[in-house]
Coordinates of all heavy atoms in Angstrom, one line a residue:
M263 N -4.9 -0.7 -21.5 CA -4.7 -0.5 -20.1 C -3.5 -1.3 -19.6 O -3.3 -2.4 -19.9 CB -6.0 -1.1 -19.4 CG -6.0 -0.9 -17.9 SD -6.8 0.6 -17.4 CE -7.1 0.3 -15.7
M264 N -2.6 -0.6 -18.9 CA -1.4 -1.2 -18.4 C -1.8 -2.1 -17.3 O -2.7 -1.8 -16.5 CB -0.4 -0.2 -18.0 CG 0.2 0.7 -19.1 SD 1.6 1.6 -18.6 CE 0.8 2.7 -17.3
D265 N -1.1 -3.2 -17.1 CA -1.3 -3.9 -15.9 C -0.3 -3.7 -14.8 O -0.3 -4.5 -13.8 CB -1.5 -5.4 -16.2 CG -0.6 -5.9 -17.3 OD1 0.5 -6.2 -17.1 OD2 -1.1 -5.9 -18.5
N266 N 0.5 -2.6 -14.9 CA 1.3 -2.3 -13.8 C 0.5 -1.9 -12.6 O -0.6 -1.3 -12.8 CB 2.3 -1.1 -14.2 CG 3.4 -1.5 -15.1 OD1 3.7 -2.7 -15.2 ND2 4.0 -0.5 -15.7
K267 N 0.9 -2.1 -11.4 CA 0.2 -1.8 -10.3 C 0.1 -0.3 -10.1 O -1.0 0.3 -9.7 CB 0.8 -2.4 -9.0 CG -0.1 -2.4 -7.8 CD 0.6 -3.2 -6.7 CE -0.2 -3.0 -5.4 NZ 0.6 -3.3 -4.2
Y268 N 1.2 0.4 -10.4 CA 1.2 1.9 -10.2 C 1.5 2.6 -11.5 O 2.3 2.1 -12.3 CB 2.3 2.3 -9.2 CG 2.0 1.7 -7.8 CD1 2.8 0.7 -7.2 CD2 1.0 2.2 -7.0 CE1 2.6 0.2 -6.0 CE2 0.7 1.8 -5.8 CZ 1.5 0.8 -5.2 OH 1.3 0.3 -4.0
L269 N 1.0 3.8 -11.7 CA 1.4 4.6 -12.8 C 2.8 5.2 -12.5 O 3.6 5.3 -13.4 CB 0.4 5.7 -13.1 CG -0.9 5.3 -13.7 CD1 -1.8 6.6 -13.9 CD2 -0.7 4.6 -15.0
V270 N 2.9 5.6 -11.3 CA 4.1 6.2 -10.8 C 4.5 5.5 -9.5 O 3.7 5.4 -8.6 CB 4.0 7.7 -10.5 CG1 5.3 8.3 -9.9 CG2 3.6 8.4 -11.8
E271 N 5.7 5.0 -9.4 CA 6.2 4.4 -8.1 C 7.5 5.0 -7.8 O 8.4 5.0 -8.7 CB 6.2 2.9 -8.2 CG 6.6 2.3 -6.9 CD 6.5 0.7 -7.0 OE1 6.4 0.2 -8.0 OE2 6.7 0.1 -5.9
V272 N 7.7 5.4 -6.6 CA 9.0 6.0 -6.2 C 9.4 5.3 -4.9 O 8.6 5.1 -4.0 CB 8.8 7.5 -5.9 CG1 10.1 8.1 -5.4 CG2 8.3 8.3 -7.1
Q273 N 10.6 4.9 -5.0 CA 11.2 4.2 -3.8 C 12.4 4.8 -3.3 O 13.4 5.0 -4.1 CB 11.4 2.7 -4.1 CG 10.2 1.9 -4.3 CD 10.4 0.4 -4.7 OE1 11.5 -0.1 -4.4 NE2 9.5 -0.2 -5.3
N274 N 12.4 5.2 -2.1 CA 13.7 5.7 -1.5 C 14.3 6.9 -2.2 O 15.5 6.9 -2.5 CB 14.7 4.6 -1.3 CG 14.1 3.5 -0.5 OD1 13.9 2.4 -1.0 ND2 13.9 3.7 0.8
L275 N 13.5 7.9 -2.6 CA 14.0 9.0 -3.3 C 14.8 9.9 -2.3 O 14.3 10.2 -1.2 CB 12.8 9.8 -3.9 CG 13.2 11.0 -4.7 CD1 13.8 10.6 -6.0 CD2 12.0 11.9 -5.0
Q276 N 15.9 10.3 -2.8 CA 16.7 11.3 -2.0 C 17.1 12.4 -2.9 O 17.4 12.3 -4.0 CB 18.0 10.6 -1.5 CG 17.8 9.5 -0.5 CD 19.1 8.9 0.0 OE1 20.1 8.9 -0.7 NE2 19.0 8.3 1.2
Q277 N 17.1 13.6 -2.3 CA 17.6 14.8 -3.0 C 18.4 15.6 -2.0 O 17.9 16.2 -1.1 CB 16.5 15.6 -3.5 CG 16.9 16.8 -4.4 CD 17.8 16.4 -5.6 OE1 19.0 16.4 -5.5 NE2 17.1 16.2 -6.7
Y278 N 19.7 15.5 -2.2 CA 20.6 16.3 -1.3 C 21.2 17.4 -2.1 O 21.8 17.2 -3.2 CB 21.8 15.4 -0.8 CG 21.4 14.2 0.1 CD1 22.4 13.3 0.5 CD2 20.1 14.0 0.5 CE1 22.1 12.3 1.4 CE2 19.8 12.9 1.4 CZ 20.8 12.1 1.8 OH 20.5 11.0 2.6
F279 N 21.2 18.6 -1.6 CA 21.7 19.7 -2.2 C 23.1 20.1 -1.6 O 23.1 20.3 -0.4 CB 20.8 21.0 -2.1 CG 19.5 20.8 -2.9 CD1 18.3 20.7 -2.3 CD2 19.5 20.7 -4.3 CE1 17.1 20.6 -3.0 CE2 18.4 20.6 -5.1 CZ 17.2 20.5 -4.4
P280 N 24.1 20.2 -2.4 CA 25.4 20.7 -1.8 C 25.3 22.2 -1.4 O 24.7 23.0 -2.2 CB 26.4 20.5 -3.0 CG 25.6 20.3 -4.2 CD 24.2 20.0 -3.8
V281 N 25.7 22.5 -0.3 CA 25.7 23.9 0.2 C 27.1 24.3 0.7 O 27.9 23.4 1.1 CB 24.6 24.1 1.3 CG1 23.2 24.1 0.7 CG2 24.8 23.1 2.4
A282 N 27.3 25.6 0.7 CA 28.6 26.1 1.2 C 28.7 25.9 2.7 O 27.7 25.8 3.4 CB 28.7 27.6 0.8
G283 N 29.9 25.9 3.2 CA 30.1 25.9 4.7 C 30.6 24.7 5.3 O 30.8 24.6 6.5
G284 N 30.9 23.7 4.4 CA 31.5 22.4 5.0 C 32.9 22.7 5.4 O 33.6 23.6 4.9
K285 N 33.4 21.8 6.2 CA 34.8 21.9 6.6 C 35.7 21.5 5.4 O 35.2 20.9 4.5 CB 35.1 21.0 7.8 CG 34.5 21.5 9.1 CD 34.9 20.5 10.2 CE 34.0 20.8 11.5 NZ 33.6 19.6 12.2
L286 N 36.9 21.7 5.5 CA 37.9 21.3 4.4 C 37.7 19.8 4.1 O 37.7 19.0 5.0 CB 39.3 21.7 4.9 CG 40.3 21.7 3.7 CD1 40.0 22.8 2.7 CD2 41.7 22.0 4.4
F287 N 37.6 19.5 2.8 CA 37.5 18.1 2.4 C 36.2 17.5 2.8 O 36.0 16.3 2.8 CB 38.7 17.2 2.8 CG 40.0 17.8 2.4 CD1 41.0 18.1 3.3 CD2 40.2 18.1 1.0 CE1 42.2 18.6 2.9 CE2 41.5 18.6 0.6 CZ 42.5 18.9 1.6
E288 N 35.2 18.3 3.3 CA 34.0 17.7 3.7 C 32.9 18.4 2.9 O 32.9 19.6 2.7 CB 33.8 18.1 5.2 CG 33.1 17.0 6.0 CD 33.0 17.4 7.5 OE1 32.1 18.4 7.7 OE2 33.7 16.9 8.3
K289 N 32.0 17.6 2.3 CA 30.9 18.1 1.6 C 29.7 18.3 2.5 O 29.2 17.3 3.0 CB 30.6 17.2 0.4 CG 31.4 17.5 -0.8 CD 30.8 16.9 -2.1 CE 31.7 15.8 -2.6 NZ 31.1 14.9 -3.6
K290 N 29.2 19.5 2.6 CA 28.0 19.8 3.4 C 26.8 19.7 2.4 O 26.8 20.3 1.4 CB 28.1 21.2 4.0 CG 27.1 21.3 5.1 CD 27.3 22.7 5.8 CE 26.2 22.9 6.9 NZ 26.2 24.3 7.4
V291 N 25.8 19.1 2.9 CA 24.5 19.0 2.1 C 23.3 19.3 2.9 O 23.3 19.1 4.1 CB 24.4 17.6 1.4 CG1 25.5 17.2 0.4 CG2 24.3 16.5 2.5
V292 N 22.3 19.7 2.2 CA 21.0 19.8 2.8 C 20.2 18.6 2.3 O 20.1 18.4 1.1 CB 20.2 21.1 2.4 CG1 18.8 21.1 2.9 CG2 20.9 22.3 3.0
K293 N 19.7 17.8 3.3 CA 18.9 16.7 2.9 C 17.5 17.1 2.7 O 16.6 17.0 3.6 CB 19.0 15.6 3.9 CG 20.4 15.0 4.1 CD 20.5 13.9 5.0 CE 21.9 13.3 5.1 NZ 22.0 12.1 6.0
A294 N 17.2 17.6 1.5 CA 15.8 18.2 1.2 C 14.8 17.1 1.1 O 13.6 17.3 1.6 CB 15.9 19.0 -0.1
V295 N 15.2 15.9 0.6 CA 14.3 14.8 0.5 C 15.2 13.6 0.9 O 16.2 13.4 0.4 CB 13.7 14.6 -0.9 CG1 12.9 13.3 -1.0 CG2 12.8 15.8 -1.3
D296 N 14.7 12.8 1.8 CA 15.5 11.7 2.3 C 14.7 10.4 2.5 O 14.0 10.2 3.4 CB 16.2 12.1 3.7 CG 17.4 11.2 4.0 OD1 17.9 10.6 3.1 OD2 17.8 11.2 5.2
N297 N 14.8 9.6 1.5 CA 14.1 8.3 1.5 C 12.6 8.4 1.5 O 11.9 7.9 2.3 CB 14.5 7.4 2.7 CG 15.9 6.8 2.5 OD1 16.2 6.4 1.4 ND2 16.7 6.8 3.5
V298 N 12.0 9.0 0.4 CA 10.6 9.1 0.2 C 10.1 8.1 -0.7 O 10.7 7.9 -1.8 CB 10.2 10.5 -0.3 CG1 8.8 10.6 -0.8 CG2 10.4 11.6 0.8
S299 N 9.1 7.3 -0.4 CA 8.5 6.3 -1.2 C 7.0 6.4 -1.3 O 6.4 6.7 -0.3 CB 8.8 4.9 -0.6 OG 10.2 4.7 -0.4
F300 N 6.5 6.3 -2.5 CA 5.0 6.3 -2.7 C 4.7 5.7 -4.0 O 5.5 5.6 -4.9 CB 4.4 7.7 -2.5 CG 5.0 8.7 -3.4 CD1 4.5 8.9 -4.7 CD2 6.0 9.6 -3.0 CE1 5.0 9.8 -5.6 CE2 6.5 10.6 -3.9 CZ 6.0 10.7 -5.1
G301 N 3.4 5.3 -4.2 CA 3.0 4.9 -5.5 C 1.6 5.5 -5.8 O 0.8 5.8 -4.9
I302 N 1.4 5.8 -7.0 CA 0.1 6.4 -7.5 C -0.5 5.5 -8.5 O 0.1 5.2 -9.6 CB 0.3 7.8 -8.1 CG1 1.1 8.7 -7.1 CG2 -1.0 8.4 -8.4 CD1 1.5 10.0 -7.7
K303 N -1.7 5.0 -8.3 CA -2.4 4.2 -9.2 C -3.3 5.0 -10.2 O -3.6 6.2 -9.9 CB -3.3 3.2 -8.4 CG -2.6 2.2 -7.6 CD -3.6 1.3 -6.8 CE -2.8 0.5 -5.8 NZ -3.8 -0.1 -4.8
R304 N -3.7 4.4 -11.2 CA -4.5 5.1 -12.2 C -5.8 5.6 -11.5 O -6.4 4.9 -10.8 CB -4.9 4.1 -13.3 CG -5.8 4.7 -14.4 CD -6.1 3.6 -15.5 NE -4.8 3.3 -16.2 CZ -4.3 3.9 -17.2 NH1 -4.9 5.0 -17.6 NH2 -3.2 3.5 -17.8
G305 N -6.1 6.9 -11.8 CA -7.3 7.5 -11.2 C -7.1 8.0 -9.8 O -8.0 8.7 -9.3
E306 N -6.0 7.8 -9.2 CA -5.7 8.3 -7.8 C -5.1 9.7 -7.9 O -4.4 10.0 -8.9 CB -4.8 7.4 -7.1 CG -5.4 6.1 -6.5 CD -4.4 5.3 -5.7 OE1 -3.2 5.5 -5.7 OE2 -4.9 4.5 -4.9
T307 N -5.3 10.4 -6.8 CA -4.6 11.7 -6.6 C -3.8 11.6 -5.3 O -4.3 11.2 -4.3 CB -5.6 12.8 -6.5 OG1 -6.4 12.9 -7.7 CG2 -5.0 14.2 -6.4
L308 N -2.6 12.0 -5.4 CA -1.7 12.0 -4.2 C -1.5 13.4 -3.7 O -1.1 14.3 -4.5 CB -0.4 11.4 -4.5 CG 0.6 11.4 -3.3 CD1 0.2 10.4 -2.2 CD2 2.0 11.1 -3.8
G309 N -1.8 13.7 -2.5 CA -1.6 15.0 -1.8 C -0.3 14.9 -0.9 O -0.2 13.9 -0.3
L310 N 0.5 15.9 -1.0 CA 1.7 15.9 -0.2 C 1.5 17.0 0.9 O 1.4 18.2 0.5 CB 2.9 16.2 -1.1 CG 4.2 15.6 -0.8 CD1 4.1 14.1 -0.5 CD2 5.1 15.8 -2.0
V311 N 1.5 16.7 2.1 CA 1.2 17.6 3.2 C 2.3 17.6 4.2 O 2.9 16.6 4.5 CB -0.1 17.2 3.9 CG1 -0.4 18.2 5.0 CG2 -1.3 17.1 2.9
G312 N 2.7 18.8 4.6 CA 3.7 18.9 5.6 C 4.1 20.4 5.8 O 3.8 21.2 5.0
E313 N 4.9 20.6 6.9 CA 5.3 21.9 7.2 C 6.2 22.5 6.2 O 6.8 21.8 5.4 CB 6.0 22.0 8.6 CG 7.3 21.2 8.6 CD 7.9 21.1 10.0 OE1 8.1 22.2 10.6 OE2 8.2 20.0 10.5
S314 N 6.3 23.8 6.2 CA 7.2 24.5 5.2 C 8.6 24.0 5.4 O 9.1 23.8 6.5 CB 7.1 26.0 5.5 OG 8.0 26.7 4.6
G315 N 9.2 23.7 4.2 CA 10.6 23.2 4.2 C 10.8 21.7 4.4 O 11.9 21.2 4.5
C316 N 9.7 21.0 4.4 CA 9.8 19.5 4.6 C 10.2 18.8 3.4 O 10.4 17.6 3.4 CB 8.6 19.0 5.3 SG 7.2 18.8 4.3
G317 N 10.1 19.4 2.2 CA 10.6 18.8 1.0 C 9.5 18.5 -0.1 O 9.7 17.8 -1.0
K318 N 8.3 19.1 0.1 CA 7.2 18.8 -0.9 C 7.6 19.3 -2.3 O 7.5 18.5 -3.3 CB 5.9 19.6 -0.4 CG 5.5 19.2 1.0 CD 4.3 20.0 1.4 CE 4.4 21.5 1.5 NZ 5.4 22.0 2.5
T319 N 8.0 20.5 -2.4 CA 8.4 21.1 -3.7 C 9.5 20.3 -4.3 O 9.5 20.0 -5.5 CB 8.7 22.6 -3.6 OG1 7.5 23.3 -3.2 CG2 9.2 23.2 -4.9
T320 N 10.5 20.0 -3.6 CA 11.7 19.3 -4.1 C 11.3 17.9 -4.6 O 11.8 17.4 -5.6 CB 12.8 19.2 -3.0 OG1 13.1 20.5 -2.6 CG2 14.0 18.5 -3.5
T321 N 10.4 17.3 -3.8 CA 9.9 15.9 -4.3 C 9.3 16.0 -5.7 O 9.6 15.3 -6.6 CB 8.9 15.4 -3.3 OG1 9.5 15.2 -2.0 CG2 8.3 14.0 -3.7
G322 N 8.4 17.0 -5.8 CA 7.7 17.2 -7.1 C 8.7 17.5 -8.3 O 8.6 17.0 -9.3
R323 N 9.6 18.5 -8.0 CA 10.5 18.9 -9.0 C 11.5 17.8 -9.4 O 11.9 17.6 -10.6 CB 11.3 20.1 -8.5 CG 10.5 21.4 -8.5 CD 11.3 22.5 -8.0 NE 10.5 23.8 -8.1 CZ 10.9 24.9 -7.4 NH1 12.0 24.9 -6.8 NH2 10.1 25.9 -7.5
T324 N 11.8 16.9 -8.4 CA 12.7 15.8 -8.7 C 12.0 14.8 -9.6 O 12.6 14.2 -10.5 CB 13.3 15.2 -7.5 OG1 13.9 16.2 -6.7 CG2 14.3 14.1 -7.8
L325 N 10.7 14.6 -9.3 CA 9.9 13.6 -10.1 C 9.9 14.1 -11.5 O 9.9 13.2 -12.4 CB 8.5 13.6 -9.5 CG 8.1 12.4 -8.7 CD1 6.6 12.5 -8.3 CD2 8.3 11.1 -9.4
L326 N 9.8 15.4 -11.7 CA 9.7 15.9 -13.1 C 11.1 16.0 -13.7 O 11.2 16.5 -14.9 CB 9.0 17.3 -13.0 CG 7.6 17.4 -12.6 CD1 7.1 18.8 -12.5 CD2 6.7 16.6 -13.5
R327 N 12.1 15.6 -13.0 CA 13.5 15.6 -13.5 C 14.0 17.1 -13.7 O 14.8 17.3 -14.6 CB 13.7 14.8 -14.7 CG 13.2 13.4 -14.6 CD 14.1 12.5 -13.8 NE 13.5 11.3 -13.4 CZ 13.6 10.2 -14.1 NH1 14.3 10.1 -15.2 NH2 13.0 9.1 -13.7
L328 N 13.3 18.0 -13.0 CA 13.9 19.3 -13.0 C 15.2 19.3 -12.3 O 16.1 20.1 -12.5 CB 13.0 20.4 -12.4 CG 11.6 20.6 -13.2 CD1 10.7 21.5 -12.5 CD2 11.9 21.0 -14.6
Y329 N 15.3 18.4 -11.3 CA 16.6 18.1 -10.7 C 16.9 16.7 -10.9 O 16.0 15.8 -10.9 CB 16.5 18.3 -9.1 CG 16.0 19.7 -8.6 CD1 15.1 19.7 -7.6 CD2 16.5 20.8 -9.2 CE1 14.7 20.9 -7.1 CE2 16.1 22.1 -8.7 CZ 15.2 22.1 -7.6 OH 14.7 23.3 -7.1
E330 N 18.2 16.3 -11.0 CA 18.6 15.0 -11.0 C 18.6 14.5 -9.5 O 19.2 15.2 -8.7 CB 20.0 14.8 -11.6 CG 19.9 14.6 -13.1 CD 19.1 13.5 -13.6 OE1 19.2 12.4 -13.1 OE2 18.2 13.8 -14.4
P331 N 18.0 13.4 -9.2 CA 18.0 13.0 -7.7 C 19.4 12.5 -7.3 O 20.2 12.0 -8.1 CB 17.0 11.9 -7.7 CG 16.9 11.4 -9.1 CD 17.2 12.5 -10.0
T332 N 19.7 12.7 -6.0 CA 20.9 12.2 -5.5 C 20.8 10.6 -5.5 O 21.8 10.0 -5.8 CB 21.0 12.6 -4.0 OG1 21.0 14.0 -4.0 CG2 22.3 12.1 -3.4
S333 N 19.7 10.1 -5.3 CA 19.5 8.7 -5.2 C 18.0 8.4 -5.5 O 17.1 9.1 -5.0 CB 19.9 8.1 -3.9 OG 19.6 6.8 -3.8
R334 N 17.7 7.3 -6.2 CA 16.3 6.9 -6.3 C 16.3 5.5 -6.8 O 17.2 4.9 -7.3 CB 15.7 7.8 -7.4 CG 16.2 7.5 -8.8 CD 15.3 7.9 -9.9 NE 15.7 7.4 -11.1 CZ 16.3 8.1 -12.1 NH1 16.5 9.4 -11.9 NH2 16.7 7.5 -13.2
K335 N 15.1 4.9 -6.5 CA 14.8 3.6 -7.1 C 13.4 3.8 -7.6 O 12.5 3.7 -6.8 CB 15.0 2.5 -6.1 CG 14.7 1.1 -6.6 CD 14.8 0.1 -5.5 CE 14.3 -1.2 -6.1 NZ 14.1 -2.2 -5.0
D336 N 13.2 4.0 -8.8 CA 11.8 4.3 -9.3 C 11.4 3.5 -10.5 O 12.3 3.0 -11.2 CB 11.5 5.7 -9.5 CG 12.4 6.3 -10.6 OD1 13.1 5.6 -11.3 OD2 12.4 7.5 -10.8
L337 N 10.2 3.3 -10.7 CA 9.7 2.6 -11.9 C 8.5 3.4 -12.5 O 7.6 3.8 -11.8 CB 9.1 1.2 -11.5 CG 10.0 0.4 -10.6 CD1 9.1 -0.7 -9.8 CD2 11.0 -0.3 -11.4
F338 N 8.6 3.7 -13.8 CA 7.6 4.5 -14.4 C 6.8 3.6 -15.4 O 7.4 2.7 -16.0 CB 8.1 5.7 -15.2 CG 8.5 6.8 -14.2 CD1 9.8 6.9 -13.7 CD2 7.6 7.7 -13.9 CE1 10.2 7.9 -12.9 CE2 7.9 8.8 -13.1 CZ 9.2 8.8 -12.5
Ligands
ADP142 N1 18.2 24.4 -4.5 C1 18.3 24.2 -3.2 N2 19.5 24.3 -2.6 C2 19.7 24.1 -1.3 N3 18.6 23.8 -0.4 C3 17.4 23.7 -0.9 C4 17.2 23.9 -2.3 N4 15.8 23.8 -2.6 C5 15.3 23.5 -1.4 N5 16.2 23.5 -0.4 C6 16.0 23.2 1.0 O1 15.4 21.9 1.1 C7 14.4 21.8 2.1 C8 13.0 21.4 1.5 O2 12.6 22.5 0.7 P1 11.2 22.5 -0.2 O3 11.2 21.2 -1.0 O4 11.1 23.8 -0.9 O5 10.1 22.3 1.0 P2 8.5 22.6 0.9 O6 8.1 22.7 -0.5 O7 7.9 21.4 1.7 O8 8.3 23.9 1.7 C9 14.4 23.2 2.8 O9 15.3 23.1 3.9 C10 15.0 24.1 1.7 O10 15.6 25.2 2.3
MG143 MG1 7.0 24.2 -1.5

């Protein structure tokens, strides 16, 4: 048994996607996830609830490293 407090801990996760349409020399991004933090302990289940487009899927995919996060501070 690990004595870490959390099995998964995420601090200030950000996932910004570059999108077309920025002005010259300006990078336009969609802030799909912006500073999300949570921890999951052994035996716990975390539910992510929110309106369509609020970043639930992107949070999960980034956790699985299907995307490289723009920024994160996490401990596994
Ligand atoms: N690959 C992508 N490129 C650009 N924008 C994206 C991409 N994936 C998701 N988004 C945008 O990020 C936001 C969050 O999307 P998503 O994580 O799918 O939300 P949810 O799962 O909560 O409905 C939305 O505005 C969506 O349009
Ligand atoms: Mg979704």
Side-chain angles (χ1 to χ4, degrees):
M263 184 90 162
M264 293 190 300
D265 33 83
N266 287 344
K267 191 173 174 201
Y268 297 110
L269 288 182
V270 177
E271 185 176 10
V272 177
Q273 291 178 20
N274 304 111
L275 184 72
Q276 296 182 330
Q277 184 60 268
Y278 295 178
F279 292 114
V281 288
K285 288 182 195 142
L286 197 59
F287 305 124
E288 216 180 71
K289 274 196 246 167
K290 194 177 176 191
V291 295
V292 170
K293 295 184 176 182
V295 175
D296 200 16
N297 284 325
V298 168
S299 303
F300 57 83
I302 306 173
K303 294 176 187 164
R304 181 176 296 275
E306 280 186 344
T307 301
L308 176 75
L310 215 47
V311 179
E313 64 185 306
S314 180
C316 76
K318 305 178 296 293
T319 294
T320 302
T321 298
R323 286 181 179 165
T324 305
L325 257 183
L326 296 175
R327 307 286 166 91
L328 296 177
Y329 305 137
E330 277 304 308
T332 304
S333 173
R334 66 157 194 256
K335 182 183 173 194
D336 63 6
L337 311 159
F338 284 90

